[in-house]
Amino acid sequence: MNMDPIAPAPPALAIRHGAFAERQQLLERHLDDDSRSWWQQAREQLARQPSTNTLMLLSSQCRRRLANAPLAPSPDCNRTQLARALLLAQLLEQQAGAGQLALLRQLFLWGDDQEKAALLKALDDLDSQGASLDLALQAGRTNNREVFAAIALDNPFAARHYPERAFHQLVLKTLGMGLDSRHIHGLAERRSVDLNQLALDLMEEQLAAEREVADGLPQAIAFELLSQAQLQRLRGLYQQGRLPAHWRDHFPAGG
């Protein structure tokens, strides 16, 4: 007799429905009559045929039908990205709770880079409780700049759900890719002695390779937690002109 325990069903996603209602209003304010008509038809088609195939078909049409014009007051988001996130939320809402997480993973796997990025940008509202953490960690390991930036920058999901080591790696990768670490949500709250050491190790590697030190590296350092030896090293490098001028603003008073 098979005595293997029955695996628990995956949890339903905790979707922030209000956030997507606001997204819907924002998108509709930026649509003309023709694009609004297509958008309504697309939503109705997905309601009649709620499947991954329908979603992927409509997603592929979004760029041609809606274009990539930025959306004020969110210049980092455009109509295509927003529409794709709304269609994704609609399909997930129509899916039985136990199947939502598997569906989200499938859509991430099937999507192109732009579709992956749209999903990740909306992930915190699609999954407010962090059930899709494994998917987000996978996204954080990619070398694709657009996909990585979608989970790393201007996205609270990692700050809320990434374990410490994974968050540290996300910060270092952001710096290594030359992305703006000021856009990492929760970075100030996640600074620590351990992250200090990792950031300083990265700095030393860049100096040893005679490369420019990552511009946003000070954002990853809790200067008040540095040892005296670490502070002396940084001040010495600054005085030698090996660190950019803005580092001086981060040193504790009296340094």
Side-chain angles (χ1 to χ4, degrees):
M1 185 171 68
N2 187 352
M3 300 297 292
D4 291 340
I6 298 174
L13 298 178
I15 300 173
R16 293 193 179 97
H17 303 286
F20 286 101
E22 292 177 2
R23 280 180 168 91
Q24 176 67 27
Q25 294 173 2
L26 175 61
L27 178 62
E28 290 185 351
R29 288 199 300 269
H30 289 78
L31 299 180
D32 57 26
D33 290 343
D34 288 342
S35 57
R36 186 177 294 107
S37 176
W38 177 83
W39 175 241
Q40 182 61 36
Q41 292 172 18
R43 296 183 66 201
E44 291 172 355
Q45 180 179 348
L46 186 60
R48 292 192 307 270
Q49 302 170 319
S51 70
T52 53
N53 287 331
T54 304
L55 178 65
M56 298 307 291
L57 173 64
L58 295 172
S59 178
S60 69
Q61 296 174 2
C62 282
R63 178 178 294 180
R64 177 168 56 88
R65 294 287 190 167
L66 302 179
N68 284 337
L71 294 166
S74 302
D76 61 331
C77 184
N78 59 55
R79 287 187 288 191
T80 294
Q81 290 175 343
L82 190 56
R84 285 171 169 167
L86 286 165
L87 291 172
L88 176 56
Q90 178 181 329
L91 181 58
L92 289 171
E93 288 168 350
Q94 294 174 257
Q95 175 72 30
Q100 288 178 326
L101 184 56
L103 177 60
L104 189 66
R105 289 170 176 161
Q106 182 181 27
L107 291 168
F108 182 78
L109 180 65
W110 284 12
D112 62 21
D113 293 341
Q114 291 74 35
E115 289 165 335
K116 284 182 170 65
L119 183 156
L120 293 170
K121 284 176 179 289
L123 189 59
D124 191 60
D125 288 328
L126 291 169
D127 174 26
S128 63
Q129 296 301 312
S132 60
L133 176 59
D134 286 347
L135 184 154
L137 291 171
Q138 177 185 347
R141 291 190 288 268
T142 182
N143 289 320
N144 182 284
R145 187 182 177 91
E146 180 178 9
V147 175
F148 177 78
I151 190 63
L153 306 183
D154 298 312
N155 191 338
F157 189 93
R160 289 176 176 160
H161 304 295
Y162 264 40
E164 182 177 69
R165 181 176 179 181
F167 189 84
H168 289 173
Q169 292 302 315
L170 179 130
V171 173
L172 295 177
K173 192 165 185 174
T174 298
L175 294 168
M177 283 187 165
L179 299 170
D180 191 345
S181 60
R182 292 174 298 179
H183 290 268
I184 300 176
H185 274 242
L187 179 54
E189 294 76 18
R190 290 280 201 124
R191 293 183 188 127
S192 65
V193 171
D194 289 341
L195 184 55
N196 279 358
Q197 187 60 59
L198 292 169
L200 294 176
D201 288 345
L202 175 62
M203 178 199 71
E204 295 290 0
E205 289 174 10
Q206 292 175 333
L207 289 171
E210 298 185 350
R211 289 160 35 210
E212 289 187 10
V213 174
D215 194 55
L217 206 149
Q219 305 298 328
I221 297 174
F223 282 80
E224 70 279 6
L225 298 179
L226 291 172
S227 69
Q228 286 302 310
Q230 289 170 328
L231 275 173
Q232 275 190 317
R233 170 65 172 159
L234 291 178
R235 288 170 179 152
L237 290 169
Y238 175 79
Q239 291 167 0
Q240 296 167 27
R242 301 187 69 192
L243 295 179
H246 66 83
W247 277 71
R248 181 64 183 84
D249 299 332
H250 296 275
F251 293 148

